[in-house]
Amino acid sequence: MKKKMLFVSILVILGLVIAGCAAPAAEEAAPAEEAAPAEEEAPAEEEAAAEDDVVVGFSMLTRTHTFYKLMEEGLLDEADKLGVEVVAVDSDTDIANQLNQVQDFITQGVDAIILTPVDSAGIEPAIKLANDAGIPVFTMDTAASGEGEVVSHVATDNYAGGVLDAEYAADVLDGEGQVAIIGCAGIESIGQRTAGFEDTMANYPDIEIVAVTDCKCDGAVAADQTADLLVTYPDLALVFGTGDPFGLGAITAINAANRDVKVVSLDGLPEGIAEVKKGGNFLITVAQDPDMIARSTLQNIMKYLGGEEVEPLVQISPYVIDINNAP
């Protein structure tokens, strides 16, 4: 009996020892069970990160103009570097299209809107709608006018560009002769170029600006208008194309008429530079930098959304490209 009792006691003691050794293992397993919910929360964290992505709506004047194509390329490349999504649409130089595009951006809930306005005054209602929705608006190349609030405008110093064209033209003409301007109404940047040209020419009393046209921002129309000017003003000495497409249209008409009329232009587009390099009557193009304009704008947007102050106006200096420095 005593032996039986002793045997039972030994079994009890062994059971306690084994239970004591197993307890830590159970406790060590507990953290693994607690870690499981963290894996379940991962998708929610990824969703939150996705919601933090910045989306920018961009309504451009047109994709048919090389300048705006280069601007869009620079914007998309910079967006890729900054991890920003850009929704880019073409207004096709139609203010009604652009107004609808801004409304679409507001509905989509974008974080910011970039505009190259079709009409500086006509875009005001769209900007006000964005203001009311709490979406910041930025403009490039062409500024907006009116009461709509624009955080920042980045553009070439277009007035300075017009001055450079005028100074070059006055030098070529030895301070005298008839000059015509091929313009485009309603575009603030073109208006600034025209103003810079006209103000500078006021310093040359023997240079007469005989006409300022509105080519509707169309190179073919510019060519037709130049052809008419050549007939109306047989002594016309020079044409100022306020954009390279207009200057190229002008030189097409001048060459077709076999006239010795000079052309100065503004944009610095590859087509304009190629014409300058021919060494004919297309003397210069004053160059802009659409790539820098676009990148600077997107950088300003990210600063603003991050709580930093940005300059309301950023102007990038233009420069003359003639046959001596054409790349």
Side-chain angles (χ1 to χ4, degrees):
M1 184 70 176
K2 288 181 179 179
K3 289 182 180 179
K4 189 180 289 186
M5 290 295 295
L6 178 61
F7 179 74
V8 171
S9 298
I10 291 170
L11 287 177
V12 170
I13 292 169
L14 285 173
L16 290 173
V17 170
I18 292 169
C21 293
E27 290 174 3
E28 288 173 6
E33 293 176 0
E34 292 174 2
E39 294 180 0
E40 294 174 4
E41 292 174 6
E45 291 175 1
E46 290 175 5
E47 184 178 341
E51 290 175 358
D52 291 336
D53 290 346
V54 173
V55 180
V56 176
F58 172 38
S59 172
M60 70 190 80
L61 178 69
T62 177
R63 279 196 177 106
T64 62
H65 193 305
T66 304
F67 179 84
Y68 294 101
K69 289 181 183 178
L70 295 172
M71 182 178 285
E72 182 182 13
E73 289 172 6
L75 187 68
L76 294 176
D77 184 68
E78 188 68 16
D80 186 58
K81 292 179 180 178
L82 297 176
V84 175
E85 179 185 349
V86 172
V87 180
V89 291
D90 180 5
S91 71
D92 197 26
T93 67
D94 187 322
I95 188 62
N97 285 344
Q98 195 160 57
L99 292 172
N100 289 333
Q101 288 165 356
V102 172
Q103 289 176 327
D104 288 343
F105 290 150
I106 293 170
T107 301
Q108 294 166 26
V110 300
D111 297 288
I113 294 172
I114 302 173
L115 300 171
T116 51
V118 172
D119 185 296
S120 296
I123 197 63
E124 180 184 16
I127 295 175
K128 283 186 172 181
L129 286 175
N131 293 160
D132 292 341
I135 299 174
V137 177
F138 297 74
T139 53
M140 296 192 298
D141 183 55
T142 297
S145 59
E147 297 179 359
E149 181 183 346
V150 174
V151 175
S152 180
H153 175 60
V154 181
T156 303
D157 188 340
N158 286 289
Y159 185 91
V163 170
L164 290 174
D165 270 300
E167 289 176 341
Y168 197 100
D171 184 58
V172 168
L173 297 176
D174 291 326
E176 59 181 2
Q178 292 184 339
V179 173
I181 300 173
I182 307 294
C184 180
I187 304 298
E188 184 268 350
S189 57
I190 299 296
Q192 287 294 313
R193 298 171 189 185
T194 302
F197 190 89
E198 291 176 328
D199 290 350
T200 303
M201 283 306 186
N203 298 322
Y204 300 91
D206 293 328
I207 292 180
E208 180 186 7
I209 298 176
V210 295
V212 180
T213 74
D214 175 14
C215 73
K216 310 298 182 184
C217 294
D218 189 314
V221 175
D224 291 341
Q225 291 179 343
T226 302
D228 292 340
L229 290 170
L230 294 173
V231 174
T232 305
Y233 303 101
D235 293 327
L236 187 67
L238 182 140
V239 172
F240 169 40
T242 54
D244 276 356
F246 322 151
L248 291 168
I251 199 67
T252 298
I254 290 166
N255 290 340
N258 197 28
R259 292 280 295 276
D260 184 21
V261 177
K262 312 298 183 187
V263 175
V264 295
S265 187
L266 201 160
D267 268 336
L269 300 181
E271 302 95 313
I273 294 172
E275 192 65 33
V276 167
K277 292 169 74 172
K278 291 179 182 179
N281 279 339
F282 195 100
L283 302 179
I284 67 166
T285 177
V286 172
Q288 305 186 83
D289 192 338
D291 182 83
M292 181 180 291
I293 291 172
R295 292 178 191 275
S296 298
T297 299
L298 195 58
Q299 289 164 9
N300 272 354
I301 288 174
M302 295 307 289
K303 288 178 182 177
Y304 180 81
L305 294 178
E308 296 183 44
E309 289 188 10
V310 296
E311 292 294 328
L313 175 62
V314 179
Q315 290 189 308
I316 298 172
S317 298
Y319 58 96
V320 172
I321 294 180
D322 62 13
I323 195 154
N324 298 312
N325 69 343

